Amino acid sequence: MSGENTRSNTISRKEFLRYMAIIAGGTVTLSQYLACMEKKDKYGHISSRISGASAKTGHMLRDRQFGAPSATEYTDAVIVGGGVAGLTAARKLHHSGVTNFRLLELEPHTGGNASSGSNAYSAYPLGAHYLPIPNNDNKPLLDLLAEAGILLGYHPDGLPIYNETDLCYDPEERLYIRNRWQEGLVPQQGLSQEALAEIRRFLDSMEALRQAKGSDQRYAFDIPVDNSSADATFRQLDQLTMADWMDQQGYRSEELRWYVDYCCRDDYGAGLQAISAWAGIHYFASRKGKAANAETSQLLTWPQGNGRLVQHLQQFSRDQTQTGCVVYRITPSAGEVLVDYYDTHTHQLRRLAAKACILATPQFITQRLIPGGAYHHDFVYSPWLVANITLDYVPASSGYQLCWDNVIYKGKSLGYVNAQQQRLSQEAPAKQVVTYYLPLDHLDPVASRKYAIALSPQHWTKLIADDLEIPHPGITSLIRDVDITVWGHGMIRPHKGFITGAARAAAQQSQWPNVFFAHSDLSGISIFEEAFYHGNKAADALVHLLG
């Protein structure tokens, strides 16, 4: 990661076409790809654009030298970063009676990678798109869902009751395997008896680990991560990759290994060869939520994905939020914290003087803001592409019907989500909107990030359409629009040794009593629950400081 900040984002046409060929499968030669790209008529009817995270504005912090601010304002607290952690911290301050604070956000809107968009046909996610049924001991999160009208109350037996319109509608998942759609994402179609037995053994093992506790009587794998057992029996799994652990356990099935690889890429943006065994198992064993009207495996989802949760959180800091702010320096002292920022709207350098500050920013930003901040090289971020595709309709193909989640076996992408799954109307929409997810893990993160930012929307559109042609021949002619979001640092990657390593522990510690940190990368796992946890934790500490 150390070379990331010095590399140019300027690449040649030949370079990025070669990169596209790699993503397309590695079996396509550069000359074949170039020849195919010349046939523009096949894709010329599709409008496309790249929107989302403002890489150019964000890189101002890296590339530009800022001077002294021209004006100073005073406030009790400043939150830097308006992702889920920052918005959660703002909500906590609001509920604690602290209203004299400011929230500074780089983007034109808050929400981070849980943001959403919309068109004439549907709302849709720009990143995170669901929340699993929360663990029942996660009271702060359950309270949030109740406040948002998602959790309606509790059954006499104590189990929560969720709004039926927020629970993912059937049918939920399907997998395109051996030229046919099957129900569910665990491969079943055309497997040998040995492979099926191995899958059953793996799932039984994950269930046992879900209930396992360490000598400290904590669950081995829990959410938030900080609640997990410190027992060495489980923590030592972080010293293996998930692939190593599966080798040790004798899991050889091609179909099982694909499924586990898919799950790791889904939550971490990289496969089982890169992700630690602790994190890989955590994906399966950490969720224990129960509900009166839902199974543990069920999900809460909305047309706009986790934008639904963001929209609820935004109300608590709407008056205190200022977007388009490039925070470039934070100067803590015993009595106050000075927060200097560049206002992209007014093109002015400004300063906020506060009693305390919450940095709800990832480590690659945090280390640039604090004087003497050490960059933690162990923090690796997976780049992602999310594309919202408007088309006439999703054509039927052999096997199981269209679901909320639609995955292609051994596909380069993670498939697509039907953004209109939660529609209440029984009438077919005028156009369909699906959200396509592609973790950019085909090269190392720095190289993928560099190329991905430079690629044109037309090239991404070709790759996406060609991928969808595998289960849906002829779908390209039905696509009308592709709205592309590239997340250069989409999520933290829990590689081997990171969860239990010194860098993650050190990043959570502040050397100043009035500066607090809040971001999901402090957990090593980028999910809503972890960002929510760190936002609340930092805000609690700030409120205590203010007295």
Side-chain angles (χ1 to χ4, degrees):
M1 294 292 288
S2 58
E4 176 180 353
N5 297 324
T6 60
R7 293 195 182 197
S8 168
N9 284 327
T10 302
I11 61 175
S12 68
R13 181 170 183 266
K14 185 176 181 179
E15 279 185 292
F16 70 63
L17 285 174
R18 190 181 303 279
Y19 178 63
M20 292 295 287
I22 291 171
I23 297 178
T27 58
V28 181
T29 67
L30 180 59
S31 59
Q32 288 172 327
Y33 200 91
L34 283 165
C36 188
M37 281 305 301
E38 296 303 320
K39 300 178 181 178
K40 296 181 180 178
D41 56 315
K42 183 178 179 181
Y43 311 96
H45 66 284
I46 303 173
S47 61
S48 60
R49 77 206 64 82
I50 294 179
S51 55
S54 306
K56 183 177 180 180
T57 304
H59 287 165
M60 291 175 67
L61 177 61
R62 181 190 70 187
D63 302 331
R64 180 171 172 177
Q65 295 294 319
F66 294 98
S70 60
T72 300
E73 297 177 80
Y74 296 87
T75 187
D76 285 342
V78 177
I79 300 171
V80 180
V84 169
L87 290 173
T88 298
R91 170 181 174 267
K92 186 70 173 183
L93 294 185
H94 173 90
H95 286 339
S96 301
V98 178
T99 57
N100 184 26
F101 68 89
R102 298 279 288 279
L103 189 155
L104 304 181
E105 166 59 36
L106 169 71
E107 301 293 338
H109 56 79
T110 55
N113 64 11
S115 299
S116 59
S118 64
N119 60 19
Y121 310 104
S122 181
Y124 48 73
L126 299 179
H129 58 290
Y130 66 90
L131 177 69
I133 295 296
N135 292 352
N136 292 59
D137 59 356
N138 195 342
K139 190 175 185 303
L141 182 54
L142 294 176
D143 289 345
L144 172 76
L145 297 179
E147 181 183 82
I150 296 166
L151 192 161
L152 300 181
Y154 290 85
H155 190 271
D157 63 6
L159 293 179
I161 301 169
Y162 291 99
N163 191 332
E164 293 289 346
T165 60
D166 296 319
L167 292 166
C168 187
Y169 295 167
D170 286 331
E172 291 186 17
E173 301 171 327
R174 65 174 179 171
L175 175 66
Y176 189 75
I177 180 171
R178 298 182 174 89
N179 301 315
R180 184 178 180 84
W181 290 103
Q182 62 149 67
E183 183 180 8
L185 299 186
V186 179
Q188 305 166 39
Q189 196 164 283
L191 273 65
S192 67
Q193 290 302 310
E194 292 80 4
L196 290 170
E198 197 170 283
I199 289 173
R200 283 194 295 271
R201 179 165 70 90
F202 174 82
L203 296 177
D204 286 345
S205 174
M206 293 301 102
E207 180 57 35
L209 287 167
R210 180 183 287 116
Q211 303 305 326
K213 291 187 176 181
S215 57
D216 51 10
Q217 296 306 304
R218 291 185 171 192
Y219 281 113
F221 302 92
D222 207 349
I223 296 173
V225 165
D226 280 0
N227 288 352
S228 300
S229 174
D231 194 316
T233 303
F234 304 110
R235 289 176 65 86
Q236 67 185 1
L237 292 168
D238 194 44
Q239 303 308 313
L240 302 171
T241 67
M242 192 61 180
D244 291 337
W245 182 82
M246 293 188 76
D247 288 342
Q248 288 184 2
Q249 300 300 314
Y251 293 118
R252 304 283 186 263
S253 161
E254 176 183 279
E255 293 86 357
L256 173 61
R257 292 179 80 95
W258 169 83
Y259 175 63
V260 176
D261 190 72
Y262 161 82
C263 292
C264 288
R265 295 178 77 215
D266 181 41
D267 255 24
Y268 310 130
L272 53 83
Q273 297 286 348
I275 299 306
S276 90
W278 193 95
I281 294 170
H282 184 275
Y283 178 95
F284 298 96
S286 59
R287 301 197 179 278
K288 316 171 210 300
K290 297 180 181 179
N293 61 334
E295 301 294 328
T296 298
S297 60
Q298 277 194 265
L299 309 170
L300 297 161
T301 190
W302 307 270
Q304 67 272 49
N306 286 7
R308 164 68 173 87
L309 300 171
V310 164
Q311 288 162 4
H312 176 75
L313 289 171
Q314 285 170 334
Q315 67 182 299
F316 302 105
S317 52
R318 189 166 286 117
D319 294 338
Q320 294 91 348
T321 295
Q322 187 172 338
T323 59
C325 296
V326 182
V327 176
Y328 62 90
R329 183 170 55 236
I330 293 177
T331 309
S333 65
E336 64 179 359
V337 181
L338 305 180
V339 179
D340 297 340
Y341 66 98
Y342 172 71
D343 187 329
T344 61
H345 302 296
T346 64
H347 306 291
Q348 292 179 320
L349 299 177
R350 304 187 66 84
R351 168 174 288 176
L352 286 172
K355 298 175 183 176
C357 174
I358 293 175
L359 285 178
T361 48
Q363 280 300 302
F364 65 90
I365 298 296
T366 300
Q367 62 91 25
R368 290 184 173 276
L369 299 180
I370 295 286
Y375 183 67
H376 297 290
H377 298 276
D378 281 353
F379 280 73
V380 178
Y381 296 84
S382 297
W384 277 77
L385 176 137
V386 180
N388 283 282
I389 305 162
T390 302
L391 65 168
D392 294 338
Y393 57 90
V394 177
S397 49
S398 179
Y400 200 67
Q401 63 188 303
L402 178 68
C403 291
W404 172 72
D405 198 8
N406 307 268
V407 177
I408 304 168
Y409 179 64
K410 291 188 175 180
K412 292 294 178 181
S413 73
L414 299 180
Y416 62 91
V417 166
N418 177 13
Q420 293 157 311
Q421 177 82 357
Q422 302 299 103
R423 292 177 74 250
L424 297 176
S425 173
Q426 297 300 309
E427 295 182 9
K431 301 285 183 187
Q432 284 198 285
V433 178
V434 300
T435 308
Y436 174 94
Y437 289 89
L438 176 68
L440 302 175
D441 59 340
H442 310 85
L443 297 176
D444 70 84
V446 175
S448 284
R449 189 174 300 120
K450 170 187 171 183
Y451 295 136
I453 292 172
L455 288 173
S456 72
Q458 292 76 25
H459 283 87
W460 283 125
T461 296
K462 184 217 176 297
L463 181 144
I464 294 163
D466 289 355
D467 193 27
L468 293 177
E469 285 280 341
I470 296 171
H472 300 296
I475 195 173
T476 301
S477 65
L478 303 174
I479 298 174
R480 300 299 162 212
D481 183 75
V482 181
D483 185 7
I484 299 162
T485 302
V486 176
W487 295 100
H489 301 81
M491 58 176 58
I492 189 68
R493 181 179 293 187
H495 54 82
K496 184 175 71 172
F498 180 69
I499 295 290
T500 58
R504 189 177 76 87
Q508 298 186 54
Q509 305 301 315
S510 175
Q511 58 183 294
W512 298 278
N514 51 0
V515 176
F516 309 97
F517 301 131
H519 196 274
S520 61
D521 67 358
L522 299 175
S523 292
I525 291 178
S526 181
I527 55 178
F528 182 91
E529 298 97 312
E530 298 295 341
F532 182 73
Y533 165 74
H534 285 290
N536 279 320
K537 181 180 177 183
D540 278 337
L542 189 150
V543 170
H544 179 75
L545 175 72
L546 295 181

